[in-house]
Amino acid sequence: MWRGGAWALLAAALAVGLEALAEWLLRRRRLEARRREVLFFPSRVTCVEGLLAAGEGGTGGVGPCSCPLPHGESPLARLLARLLSARRSLELCVFAFSSQQLSRAVLLLHRRGVRVRVVTDADYMALQGSQIGVLRRAGIQVRHDQDSGYMHHKFAIIDQRWLLTGSLNWTAQAIQHNRENVLILEDAECVKLFLEEFEKIWENYNPAHYVFFSKEVPKENKHKSETERQLKK
Ligand code: ZN
């Protein structure tokens, strides 16, 4: 009798233990899945006013949006949500930046006191539609390349914790029409490497180091037309 009872107890304990283990593994897996996200573009056009309004802290008073756009999930909405989660810092390295929604999000972070630093390509920044001037006028620090190669990176680091990287330029064209990808991940090692790269570029593009070459041909014409094509993108 005693023996049978002990076995039953042991079996029950084992079952409970296994169930707990399975639950723990499942929870861990879900948590890990949440630390990686892949976004594919083009993104359907959705209204992101609610996201931006919430980011501004205005939750009360804003009723459901009545604009004709669909309201729901989209890759752009997810990108914006991740961006707006920043509390301390944003390092942004992007070749082309003309998306007004992403610009509004970056301005919003700046107003919230998040330390924002932007690195971009010199050829693109002065072209019509670029948001770089808007960011600068708001007091955001921007630096740009000073050499013949492109500053062609497209990555961002949020709170020294999240890395966003991929093919996407921050332009409406790329968001709505191009096939692009953005990988969002929470990975200390990757973040560290990208942050080091950012700091290196930031220091490299320090205006104090800028050297003017009077006879230097700035960039080849094909680069210019490439840049203009990018703007239309
Ligand atoms: Zn709306």
Side-chain angles (χ1 to χ4, degrees):
M1 263 335 254
W2 157 243
R3 252 193 191 175
W7 278 117
L9 205 66
L10 188 66
L14 210 64
V16 169
L18 275 174
E19 203 182 304
L21 181 70
E23 214 168 277
W24 178 77
L25 281 172
L26 201 72
R27 220 172 29 232
R28 223 182 83 147
R29 212 173 180 186
R30 272 199 214 116
L31 265 175
E32 271 172 7
R34 224 177 291 151
R35 286 179 187 160
R36 285 191 296 264
E37 190 175 3
V38 181
L39 306 178
F40 291 114
F41 294 82
S43 171
R44 71 183 183 125
V45 181
T46 56
C47 172
V48 291
E49 290 305 315
L51 261 174
L52 289 165
E56 284 186 309
T59 42
V62 184
C65 184
S66 58
C67 80
L69 288 173
H71 296 80
E73 278 294 334
S74 69
L76 175 62
R78 298 184 81 91
L79 180 61
L80 275 168
R82 176 49 64 200
L83 198 58
L84 289 168
S85 75
R87 292 292 174 269
R88 292 183 302 281
S89 59
L90 171 70
E91 282 81 31
L92 175 63
C93 222
V94 68
F95 172 70
F97 191 166
S98 65
S99 158
Q100 291 195 9
Q101 286 127 327
L102 288 167
S103 170
R104 276 172 66 192
V106 172
L107 289 168
L108 205 152
L109 294 180
H110 174 65
R111 280 202 297 276
R112 258 204 230 149
V114 172
R115 184 176 78 144
V116 178
R117 290 183 293 165
V118 178
V119 164
T120 190
D121 188 82
D123 270 9
Y124 184 82
M125 62 187 278
L127 296 183
Q128 204 187 359
S130 170
Q131 290 294 306
I132 295 298
V134 177
L135 303 182
R136 273 201 161 147
R137 282 193 288 282
I140 292 175
Q141 304 181 74
V142 179
R143 290 186 182 177
H144 58 81
D145 69 311
Q146 293 149 11
D147 39 47
S148 58
Y150 282 134
M151 200 316 291
H152 212 242
H153 280 308
K154 292 116 186 146
F155 72 84
I157 302 157
I158 294 170
D159 290 342
Q160 305 202 348
R161 184 176 163 196
W162 290 94
L163 171 68
L164 286 64
T165 186
S167 64
L168 185 79
N169 269 310
W170 286 21
T171 68
Q173 168 69 30
I175 291 164
Q176 289 169 25
H177 303 288
N178 295 354
R179 292 201 183 276
E180 311 271 6
N181 71 82
V182 175
L183 172 65
I184 301 177
L185 75 164
E186 188 187 21
D187 179 313
E189 205 173 318
C190 280
V191 164
K192 181 175 170 281
L193 293 170
F194 273 81
L195 204 56
E196 281 170 5
E197 173 69 3
F198 183 90
E199 295 297 351
K200 202 171 81 187
I201 296 171
W202 187 253
E203 198 39 41
N204 235 297
Y205 294 175
N206 187 336
H209 301 160
Y210 194 87
V211 182
F212 289 93
F213 296 105
S214 56
K215 282 184 179 170
E216 195 191 46
V217 181
K219 281 182 190 184
E220 295 164 36
N221 285 339
K222 67 180 171 119
H223 282 170
K224 196 83 214 161
S225 58
E226 165 73 10
T227 308
E228 271 154 17
R229 265 209 314 282
Q230 288 284 352
L231 181 62
K232 283 187 190 140
K233 268 186 188 173

mmCIF file with all atom_site columns, all heavy atoms in Angstrom, residues 134-150:
data_model
loop_
_atom_site.group_PDB
_atom_site.id
_atom_site.type_symbol
_atom_site.label_atom_id
_atom_site.label_alt_id
_atom_site.label_comp_id
_atom_site.label_asym_id
_atom_site.label_entity_id
_atom_site.label_seq_id
_atom_site.pdbx_PDB_ins_code
_atom_site.Cartn_x
_atom_site.Cartn_y
_atom_site.Cartn_z
_atom_site.occupancy
_atom_site.B_iso_or_equiv
_atom_site.pdbx_formal_charge
_atom_site.auth_seq_id
_atom_site.auth_comp_id
_atom_site.auth_asym_id
_atom_site.auth_atom_id
_atom_site.pdbx_PDB_model_num
ATOM 1   N N   . VAL A 1 134 ? 14.302 70.076 -41.088 1.00 0.00 ? 134 VAL A N   1
ATOM 2   C CA  . VAL A 1 134 ? 13.252 70.205 -40.069 1.00 0.00 ? 134 VAL A CA  1
ATOM 3   C C   . VAL A 1 134 ? 13.800 69.775 -38.709 1.00 0.00 ? 134 VAL A C   1
ATOM 4   O O   . VAL A 1 134 ? 13.585 70.441 -37.690 1.00 0.00 ? 134 VAL A O   1
ATOM 5   C CB  . VAL A 1 134 ? 12.019 69.336 -40.447 1.00 0.00 ? 134 VAL A CB  1
ATOM 6   C CG1 . VAL A 1 134 ? 10.945 69.399 -39.379 1.00 0.00 ? 134 VAL A CG1 1
ATOM 7   C CG2 . VAL A 1 134 ? 11.478 69.749 -41.808 1.00 0.00 ? 134 VAL A CG2 1
ATOM 8   N N   . LEU A 1 135 ? 14.527 68.668 -38.714 1.00 0.00 ? 135 LEU A N   1
ATOM 9   C CA  . LEU A 1 135 ? 15.101 68.164 -37.465 1.00 0.00 ? 135 LEU A CA  1
ATOM 10  C C   . LEU A 1 135 ? 16.115 69.157 -36.911 1.00 0.00 ? 135 LEU A C   1
ATOM 11  O O   . LEU A 1 135 ? 16.148 69.442 -35.721 1.00 0.00 ? 135 LEU A O   1
ATOM 12  C CB  . LEU A 1 135 ? 15.777 66.798 -37.688 1.00 0.00 ? 135 LEU A CB  1
ATOM 13  C CG  . LEU A 1 135 ? 14.915 65.670 -38.262 1.00 0.00 ? 135 LEU A CG  1
ATOM 14  C CD1 . LEU A 1 135 ? 15.724 64.387 -38.361 1.00 0.00 ? 135 LEU A CD1 1
ATOM 15  C CD2 . LEU A 1 135 ? 13.682 65.432 -37.410 1.00 0.00 ? 135 LEU A CD2 1
ATOM 16  N N   . ARG A 1 136 ? 16.944 69.665 -37.804 1.00 0.00 ? 136 ARG A N   1
ATOM 17  C CA  . ARG A 1 136 ? 17.971 70.632 -37.390 1.00 0.00 ? 136 ARG A CA  1
ATOM 18  C C   . ARG A 1 136 ? 17.357 71.877 -36.788 1.00 0.00 ? 136 ARG A C   1
ATOM 19  O O   . ARG A 1 136 ? 17.808 72.366 -35.757 1.00 0.00 ? 136 ARG A O   1
ATOM 20  C CB  . ARG A 1 136 ? 18.827 71.028 -38.589 1.00 0.00 ? 136 ARG A CB  1
ATOM 21  C CG  . ARG A 1 136 ? 19.981 70.090 -38.803 1.00 0.00 ? 136 ARG A CG  1
ATOM 22  C CD  . ARG A 1 136 ? 21.057 70.762 -39.618 1.00 0.00 ? 136 ARG A CD  1
ATOM 23  N NE  . ARG A 1 136 ? 22.312 70.056 -39.456 1.00 0.00 ? 136 ARG A NE  1
ATOM 24  C CZ  . ARG A 1 136 ? 23.226 69.942 -40.409 1.00 0.00 ? 136 ARG A CZ  1
ATOM 25  N NH1 . ARG A 1 136 ? 23.025 70.508 -41.587 1.00 0.00 ? 136 ARG A NH1 1
ATOM 26  N NH2 . ARG A 1 136 ? 24.343 69.303 -40.186 1.00 0.00 ? 136 ARG A NH2 1
ATOM 27  N N   . ARG A 1 137 ? 16.324 72.391 -37.457 1.00 0.00 ? 137 ARG A N   1
ATOM 28  C CA  . ARG A 1 137 ? 15.674 73.621 -36.963 1.00 0.00 ? 137 ARG A CA  1
ATOM 29  C C   . ARG A 1 137 ? 15.074 73.398 -35.584 1.00 0.00 ? 137 ARG A C   1
ATOM 30  O O   . ARG A 1 137 ? 14.944 74.318 -34.796 1.00 0.00 ? 137 ARG A O   1
ATOM 31  C CB  . ARG A 1 137 ? 14.609 74.102 -37.952 1.00 0.00 ? 137 ARG A CB  1
ATOM 32  C CG  . ARG A 1 137 ? 15.218 74.828 -39.164 1.00 0.00 ? 137 ARG A CG  1
ATOM 33  C CD  . ARG A 1 137 ? 14.163 75.576 -39.955 1.00 0.00 ? 137 ARG A CD  1
ATOM 34  N NE  . ARG A 1 137 ? 13.279 74.692 -40.695 1.00 0.00 ? 137 ARG A NE  1
ATOM 35  C CZ  . ARG A 1 137 ? 13.618 74.100 -41.856 1.00 0.00 ? 137 ARG A CZ  1
ATOM 36  N NH1 . ARG A 1 137 ? 14.806 74.297 -42.380 1.00 0.00 ? 137 ARG A NH1 1
ATOM 37  N NH2 . ARG A 1 137 ? 12.762 73.307 -42.464 1.00 0.00 ? 137 ARG A NH2 1
ATOM 38  N N   . ALA A 1 138 ? 14.700 72.154 -35.309 1.00 0.00 ? 138 ALA A N   1
ATOM 39  C CA  . ALA A 1 138 ? 14.127 71.845 -33.992 1.00 0.00 ? 138 ALA A CA  1
ATOM 40  C C   . ALA A 1 138 ? 15.220 71.701 -32.928 1.00 0.00 ? 138 ALA A C   1
ATOM 41  O O   . ALA A 1 138 ? 14.925 71.526 -31.748 1.00 0.00 ? 138 ALA A O   1
ATOM 42  C CB  . ALA A 1 138 ? 13.302 70.567 -34.077 1.00 0.00 ? 138 ALA A CB  1
ATOM 43  N N   . GLY A 1 139 ? 16.470 71.768 -33.361 1.00 0.00 ? 139 GLY A N   1
ATOM 44  C CA  . GLY A 1 139 ? 17.570 71.692 -32.400 1.00 0.00 ? 139 GLY A CA  1
ATOM 45  C C   . GLY A 1 139 ? 18.182 70.315 -32.260 1.00 0.00 ? 139 GLY A C   1
ATOM 46  O O   . GLY A 1 139 ? 18.969 70.068 -31.340 1.00 0.00 ? 139 GLY A O   1
ATOM 47  N N   . ILE A 1 140 ? 17.810 69.415 -33.169 1.00 0.00 ? 140 ILE A N   1
ATOM 48  C CA  . ILE A 1 140 ? 18.374 68.059 -33.117 1.00 0.00 ? 140 ILE A CA  1
ATOM 49  C C   . ILE A 1 140 ? 19.758 68.065 -33.770 1.00 0.00 ? 140 ILE A C   1
ATOM 50  O O   . ILE A 1 140 ? 19.970 68.686 -34.807 1.00 0.00 ? 140 ILE A O   1
ATOM 51  C CB  . ILE A 1 140 ? 17.434 67.057 -33.831 1.00 0.00 ? 140 ILE A CB  1
ATOM 52  C CG1 . ILE A 1 140 ? 16.147 66.903 -33.010 1.00 0.00 ? 140 ILE A CG1 1
ATOM 53  C CG2 . ILE A 1 140 ? 18.112 65.700 -34.031 1.00 0.00 ? 140 ILE A CG2 1
ATOM 54  C CD1 . ILE A 1 140 ? 15.087 66.041 -33.651 1.00 0.00 ? 140 ILE A CD1 1
ATOM 55  N N   . GLN A 1 141 ? 20.696 67.393 -33.143 1.00 0.00 ? 141 GLN A N   1
ATOM 56  C CA  . GLN A 1 141 ? 22.055 67.331 -33.692 1.00 0.00 ? 141 GLN A CA  1
ATOM 57  C C   . GLN A 1 141 ? 22.099 66.425 -34.918 1.00 0.00 ? 141 GLN A C   1
ATOM 58  O O   . GLN A 1 141 ? 21.690 65.264 -34.837 1.00 0.00 ? 141 GLN A O   1
ATOM 59  C CB  . GLN A 1 141 ? 23.014 66.733 -32.675 1.00 0.00 ? 141 GLN A CB  1
ATOM 60  C CG  . GLN A 1 141 ? 23.067 67.424 -31.331 1.00 0.00 ? 141 GLN A CG  1
ATOM 61  C CD  . GLN A 1 141 ? 24.082 66.717 -30.455 1.00 0.00 ? 141 GLN A CD  1
ATOM 62  O OE1 . GLN A 1 141 ? 25.287 66.856 -30.659 1.00 0.00 ? 141 GLN A OE1 1
ATOM 63  N NE2 . GLN A 1 141 ? 23.608 65.950 -29.498 1.00 0.00 ? 141 GLN A NE2 1
ATOM 64  N N   . VAL A 1 142 ? 22.594 66.990 -36.019 1.00 0.00 ? 142 VAL A N   1
ATOM 65  C CA  . VAL A 1 142 ? 22.722 66.205 -37.248 1.00 0.00 ? 142 VAL A CA  1
ATOM 66  C C   . VAL A 1 142 ? 24.152 66.331 -37.764 1.00 0.00 ? 142 VAL A C   1
ATOM 67  O O   . VAL A 1 142 ? 24.709 67.431 -37.783 1.00 0.00 ? 142 VAL A O   1
ATOM 68  C CB  . VAL A 1 142 ? 21.763 66.714 -38.350 1.00 0.00 ? 142 VAL A CB  1
ATOM 69  C CG1 . VAL A 1 142 ? 21.940 65.901 -39.629 1.00 0.00 ? 142 VAL A CG1 1
ATOM 70  C CG2 . VAL A 1 142 ? 20.310 66.668 -37.892 1.00 0.00 ? 142 VAL A CG2 1
ATOM 71  N N   . ARG A 1 143 ? 24.721 65.246 -38.160 1.00 0.00 ? 143 ARG A N   1
ATOM 72  C CA  . ARG A 1 143 ? 26.029 65.292 -38.838 1.00 0.00 ? 143 ARG A CA  1
ATOM 73  C C   . ARG A 1 143 ? 25.926 64.524 -40.147 1.00 0.00 ? 143 ARG A C   1
ATOM 74  O O   . ARG A 1 143 ? 25.095 63.614 -40.268 1.00 0.00 ? 143 ARG A O   1
ATOM 75  C CB  . ARG A 1 143 ? 27.127 64.690 -37.949 1.00 0.00 ? 143 ARG A CB  1
ATOM 76  C CG  . ARG A 1 143 ? 27.418 65.596 -36.756 1.00 0.00 ? 143 ARG A CG  1
ATOM 77  C CD  . ARG A 1 143 ? 28.580 65.112 -35.933 1.00 0.00 ? 143 ARG A CD  1
ATOM 78  N NE  . ARG A 1 143 ? 28.774 65.986 -34.781 1.00 0.00 ? 143 ARG A NE  1
ATOM 79  C CZ  . ARG A 1 143 ? 29.680 65.798 -33.846 1.00 0.00 ? 143 ARG A CZ  1
ATOM 80  N NH1 . ARG A 1 143 ? 30.485 64.751 -33.914 1.00 0.00 ? 143 ARG A NH1 1
ATOM 81  N NH2 . ARG A 1 143 ? 29.795 66.639 -32.843 1.00 0.00 ? 143 ARG A NH2 1
ATOM 82  N N   . HIS A 1 144 ? 26.776 64.895 -41.100 1.00 0.00 ? 144 HIS A N   1
ATOM 83  C CA  . HIS A 1 144 ? 26.707 64.233 -42.399 1.00 0.00 ? 144 HIS A CA  1
ATOM 84  C C   . HIS A 1 144 ? 28.100 63.887 -42.896 1.00 0.00 ? 144 HIS A C   1
ATOM 85  O O   . HIS A 1 144 ? 29.103 64.392 -42.391 1.00 0.00 ? 144 HIS A O   1
ATOM 86  C CB  . HIS A 1 144 ? 25.997 65.140 -43.408 1.00 0.00 ? 144 HIS A CB  1
ATOM 87  C CG  . HIS A 1 144 ? 26.676 66.467 -43.571 1.00 0.00 ? 144 HIS A CG  1
ATOM 88  N ND1 . HIS A 1 144 ? 27.777 66.631 -44.375 1.00 0.00 ? 144 HIS A ND1 1
ATOM 89  C CD2 . HIS A 1 144 ? 26.420 67.668 -43.013 1.00 0.00 ? 144 HIS A CD2 1
ATOM 90  C CE1 . HIS A 1 144 ? 28.165 67.893 -44.308 1.00 0.00 ? 144 HIS A CE1 1
ATOM 91  N NE2 . HIS A 1 144 ? 27.366 68.535 -43.488 1.00 0.00 ? 144 HIS A NE2 1
ATOM 92  N N   . ASP A 1 145 ? 28.130 63.044 -43.902 1.00 0.00 ? 145 ASP A N   1
ATOM 93  C CA  . ASP A 1 145 ? 29.407 62.590 -44.450 1.00 0.00 ? 145 ASP A CA  1
ATOM 94  C C   . ASP A 1 145 ? 30.138 63.746 -45.117 1.00 0.00 ? 145 ASP A C   1
ATOM 95  O O   . ASP A 1 145 ? 29.526 64.734 -45.523 1.00 0.00 ? 145 ASP A O   1
ATOM 96  C CB  . ASP A 1 145 ? 29.185 61.459 -45.455 1.00 0.00 ? 145 ASP A CB  1
ATOM 97  C CG  . ASP A 1 145 ? 28.505 61.958 -46.714 1.00 0.00 ? 145 ASP A CG  1
ATOM 98  O OD1 . ASP A 1 145 ? 27.495 62.661 -46.580 1.00 0.00 ? 145 ASP A OD1 1
ATOM 99  O OD2 . ASP A 1 145 ? 29.009 61.675 -47.812 1.00 0.00 ? 145 ASP A OD2 1
ATOM 100 N N   . GLN A 1 146 ? 31.430 63.613 -45.223 1.00 0.00 ? 146 GLN A N   1
ATOM 101 C CA  . GLN A 1 146 ? 32.240 64.650 -45.847 1.00 0.00 ? 146 GLN A CA  1
ATOM 102 C C   . GLN A 1 146 ? 33.189 64.028 -46.859 1.00 0.00 ? 146 GLN A C   1
ATOM 103 O O   . GLN A 1 146 ? 34.210 64.582 -47.190 1.00 0.00 ? 146 GLN A O   1
ATOM 104 C CB  . GLN A 1 146 ? 33.048 65.401 -44.764 1.00 0.00 ? 146 GLN A CB  1
ATOM 105 C CG  . GLN A 1 146 ? 32.170 66.195 -43.832 1.00 0.00 ? 146 GLN A CG  1
ATOM 106 C CD  . GLN A 1 146 ? 32.738 66.307 -42.440 1.00 0.00 ? 146 GLN A CD  1
ATOM 107 O OE1 . GLN A 1 146 ? 33.884 65.960 -42.212 1.00 0.00 ? 146 GLN A OE1 1
ATOM 108 N NE2 . GLN A 1 146 ? 31.952 66.788 -41.511 1.00 0.00 ? 146 GLN A NE2 1
ATOM 109 N N   . ASP A 1 147 ? 32.829 62.873 -47.329 1.00 0.00 ? 147 ASP A N   1
ATOM 110 C CA  . ASP A 1 147 ? 33.732 62.229 -48.295 1.00 0.00 ? 147 ASP A CA  1
ATOM 111 C C   . ASP A 1 147 ? 32.945 61.761 -49.511 1.00 0.00 ? 147 ASP A C   1
ATOM 112 O O   . ASP A 1 147 ? 31.755 61.983 -49.616 1.00 0.00 ? 147 ASP A O   1
ATOM 113 C CB  . ASP A 1 147 ? 34.488 61.079 -47.630 1.00 0.00 ? 147 ASP A CB  1
ATOM 114 C CG  . ASP A 1 147 ? 33.603 60.316 -46.673 1.00 0.00 ? 147 ASP A CG  1
ATOM 115 O OD1 . ASP A 1 147 ? 32.458 59.983 -47.044 1.00 0.00 ? 147 ASP A OD1 1
ATOM 116 O OD2 . ASP A 1 147 ? 34.037 60.081 -45.537 1.00 0.00 ? 147 ASP A OD2 1
ATOM 117 N N   . SER A 1 148 ? 33.649 61.120 -50.425 1.00 0.00 ? 148 SER A N   1
ATOM 118 C CA  . SER A 1 148 ? 33.011 60.817 -51.705 1.00 0.00 ? 148 SER A CA  1
ATOM 119 C C   . SER A 1 148 ? 32.085 59.606 -51.654 1.00 0.00 ? 148 SER A C   1
ATOM 120 O O   . SER A 1 148 ? 31.192 59.467 -52.471 1.00 0.00 ? 148 SER A O   1
ATOM 121 C CB  . SER A 1 148 ? 34.076 60.620 -52.774 1.00 0.00 ? 148 SER A CB  1
ATOM 122 O OG  . SER A 1 148 ? 34.934 59.583 -52.369 1.00 0.00 ? 148 SER A OG  1
ATOM 123 N N   . GLY A 1 149 ? 32.297 58.735 -50.707 1.00 0.00 ? 149 GLY A N   1
ATOM 124 C CA  . GLY A 1 149 ? 31.414 57.565 -50.612 1.00 0.00 ? 149 GLY A CA  1
ATOM 125 C C   . GLY A 1 149 ? 30.107 57.950 -49.943 1.00 0.00 ? 149 GLY A C   1
ATOM 126 O O   . GLY A 1 149 ? 30.002 59.006 -49.319 1.00 0.00 ? 149 GLY A O   1
ATOM 127 N N   . TYR A 1 150 ? 29.132 57.110 -50.095 1.00 0.00 ? 150 TYR A N   1
ATOM 128 C CA  . TYR A 1 150 ? 27.849 57.371 -49.450 1.00 0.00 ? 150 TYR A CA  1
ATOM 129 C C   . TYR A 1 150 ? 27.873 57.010 -47.978 1.00 0.00 ? 150 TYR A C   1
ATOM 130 O O   . TYR A 1 150 ? 28.513 56.035 -47.581 1.00 0.00 ? 150 TYR A O   1
ATOM 131 C CB  . TYR A 1 150 ? 26.752 56.535 -50.095 1.00 0.00 ? 150 TYR A CB  1
ATOM 132 C CG  . TYR A 1 150 ? 26.258 57.076 -51.403 1.00 0.00 ? 150 TYR A CG  1
ATOM 133 C CD1 . TYR A 1 150 ? 26.101 56.230 -52.485 1.00 0.00 ? 150 TYR A CD1 1
ATOM 134 C CD2 . TYR A 1 150 ? 25.936 58.412 -51.547 1.00 0.00 ? 150 TYR A CD2 1
ATOM 135 C CE1 . TYR A 1 150 ? 25.632 56.716 -53.687 1.00 0.00 ? 150 TYR A CE1 1
ATOM 136 C CE2 . TYR A 1 150 ? 25.470 58.898 -52.747 1.00 0.00 ? 150 TYR A CE2 1
ATOM 137 C CZ  . TYR A 1 150 ? 25.323 58.047 -53.817 1.00 0.00 ? 150 TYR A CZ  1
ATOM 138 O OH  . TYR A 1 150 ? 24.870 58.515 -54.996 1.00 0.00 ? 150 TYR A OH  1
#
